[in-house]
Amino acid sequence: SSGINAEWPLRSGQKILRESVVNPLRECGFVGADHMRILRDLMSKSSTLVGLEDEEKEPEELLNVLFTEIFNIKPLLSFRDGANEISHVNLCQILLERDPHSSTMPHTQDLLTRYFVSQNLFFHTQPDLLLLQVPRSGKDFKLYDTVLPSAELQLGGLCGGVWGSCYICNKKPFMKCPQCYINQEFKHKYSAVPYCASCCTLVHSHPDRQSHVPESATNPTRGIRMVLSAVLCIHTSHYVTYCRVPAPPPLVPEEIAGSSTISPSPHSPYCWVFFDSMADREGGMGGYNIPQVAECPQLEDWLQNPAKLLHEKDRAPDFVKRLISDALLCFYIREKDT
């Protein structure tokens, strides 16, 4: 009997998510309020968190209930600090003070690296799924007016390794210095500046760097590449989502007279779509919301070209402006090692 009771939230949660949430979302583009009520009822009965049925909750609270108390899965992320203490969480919340020297539109790669360096953290295990919450406080205050979700994250140096060659001469690194990263504000993708033995000695002979404490460099963990797959955005209490989904097959172009030199443009296997469950409304208090699912053409190009976006932000499409202004939670999935 106790075994059956223990499995009840898991089996019920799987069935409700499959039949009442995922399938309607795929078929109709939205999930009805009655279906969400069923899910929240289950979460309320299975969790110690108060107010799941009738109070507004933060996304990370709902995810923690689903992952930990409904599906009983092990935490998605494991961190190791400088004292070799291990912590386990489902979501990485970037907690930083604003850097006055940083870009007005920092990337999530830069923010994540700076957070790990400031807290002396590393990934204890290599994640397959990374949920990254950008720095903000509540729904109203934002540390930065805009944050660009990096199209890719490189986690090699954040798993305890360093850059693959000396920063100065490109020889094999034997030393690394986290203090150089902080003081010189290097914006590469790793958590410490790597040096060969001779360059490390030369650099740290300077009076401004004699207080640094270089460390022995371990072999770098390379090729850990996380790809952005979705972004949850919020403006006041209105959540919207951007999702990277498989693109439909390309249309076969019909023959165009006299256009034998025209070739079809390369076809990307993925495209971005925008989902808004409250894009419009029909009726007043007794009415209902009208959802919208729309394509976001060229969003991938904007994400891949942050320099262009920084200088042409005001001319970017509205869906790009909304993404960088309201991003809250970024979902990254691991690609194969490279």
Side-chain angles (χ1 to χ4, degrees):
S1 174
S2 60
I4 295 176
N5 290 336
E7 292 182 359
W8 171 77
L10 171 61
R11 296 187 178 219
S12 299
Q14 289 175 329
K15 185 174 188 296
I16 290 171
L17 277 179
R18 181 176 62 249
E19 299 179 4
S20 299
V21 178
V22 176
N23 286 347
L25 188 61
R26 288 175 173 173
E27 294 174 4
C28 308
F30 73 99
V31 179
D34 54 334
H35 288 193
M36 291 306 301
R37 170 62 64 183
I38 296 173
L39 178 62
R40 295 191 75 145
D41 285 345
L42 171 68
M43 295 173 70
S44 179
K45 293 174 182 176
S46 308
S47 174
T48 56
L49 184 62
V50 177
L52 280 166
E53 291 181 284
D54 53 5
E55 296 179 10
E56 186 174 315
K57 297 296 180 185
E58 297 291 340
E60 60 269 23
E61 293 179 299
L62 299 178
L63 289 172
N64 279 326
V65 171
L66 278 175
F67 292 160
T68 305
E69 302 187 66
I70 302 292
F71 296 123
N72 195 29
I73 65 173
K74 64 180 182 180
L76 299 174
L77 305 173
S78 296
F79 299 146
R80 173 171 54 85
D81 62 20
N84 280 325
E85 295 289 333
I86 309 299
S87 57
H88 305 280
V89 295
N90 287 314
L91 178 147
C92 178
Q93 184 177 12
I94 298 177
L95 301 173
L96 285 173
E97 294 184 1
R98 187 184 178 101
D99 181 359
H101 303 288
S102 70
S103 166
T104 56
M105 187 178 64
H107 313 165
T108 51
Q109 174 78 70
D110 294 335
L111 293 172
L112 178 64
T113 301
R114 192 154 59 87
Y115 172 60
F116 269 51
V117 170
S118 68
Q119 300 298 315
N120 198 15
L121 287 177
F122 294 99
F123 284 106
H124 180 61
T125 56
Q126 300 173 12
D128 292 316
L129 173 63
L130 174 59
L131 278 60
L132 194 64
Q133 184 171 334
V134 302
R136 59 189 298 161
S137 177
K139 305 178 186 66
D140 301 318
F141 172 74
K142 294 186 289 186
L143 189 66
Y144 294 96
D145 291 334
T146 54
V147 171
L148 176 63
S150 301
E152 297 179 3
L153 293 178
Q154 296 289 345
L155 302 187
L158 302 182
C159 292
V162 296
W163 220 2
S165 60
C166 174
Y167 180 74
I168 295 175
C169 70
N170 288 326
K171 293 181 181 178
K172 182 178 179 180
F174 291 95
M175 305 296 292
K176 63 179 180 179
C177 183
Q179 288 85 7
C180 281
Y181 176 89
I182 296 173
N183 289 352
Q184 298 185 33
E185 297 174 21
F186 287 105
K187 294 301 181 184
H188 57 68
K189 302 165 184 174
Y190 298 91
S191 58
V193 178
Y195 299 107
C196 68
S198 58
C199 288
C200 185
T201 301
L202 176 63
V203 167
H204 291 94
S205 65
H206 191 283
D208 290 345
R209 291 185 285 274
Q210 289 179 356
S211 61
H212 292 190
V213 185
E215 306 168 2
S216 176
T218 58
N219 291 328
T221 306
R222 308 187 71 177
I224 304 175
R225 175 173 170 261
M226 309 291 290
V227 177
L228 184 67
S229 63
V231 181
L232 179 68
C233 299
I234 182 173
H235 183 72
T236 60
S237 295
H238 186 177
Y239 289 96
V240 298
T241 305
Y242 293 80
C243 293
R244 184 174 181 256
V245 299
L251 297 176
V252 178
E254 298 181 357
E255 289 188 7
I256 303 175
S259 301
S260 58
T261 59
I262 297 179
S263 59
S265 59
H267 177 67
S268 171
Y270 295 97
C271 64
W272 282 89
V273 296
F274 169 78
F275 173 66
D276 185 352
S277 63
M278 301 186 295
D280 202 351
R281 185 168 181 83
E282 182 73 24
M285 291 295 295
Y288 55 90
N289 294 319
I290 301 175
Q292 176 194 26
V293 179
E295 283 191 68
C296 300
Q298 286 82 51
L299 177 56
E300 186 79 15
D301 295 337
W302 285 98
L303 292 175
Q304 295 282 1
N305 197 343
K308 175 184 176 182
L309 182 55
L310 180 61
H311 292 95
E312 301 181 16
K313 183 168 55 175
D314 294 338
R315 291 186 286 174
D318 289 342
F319 62 81
V320 175
K321 295 178 182 176
R322 189 168 189 175
L323 174 69
I324 62 177
S325 296
D326 298 339
L328 171 67
L329 193 59
C330 299
F331 295 73
Y332 287 90
I333 57 175
R334 182 177 174 184
E335 290 273 303
K336 65 180 181 179
D337 289 353
T338 56

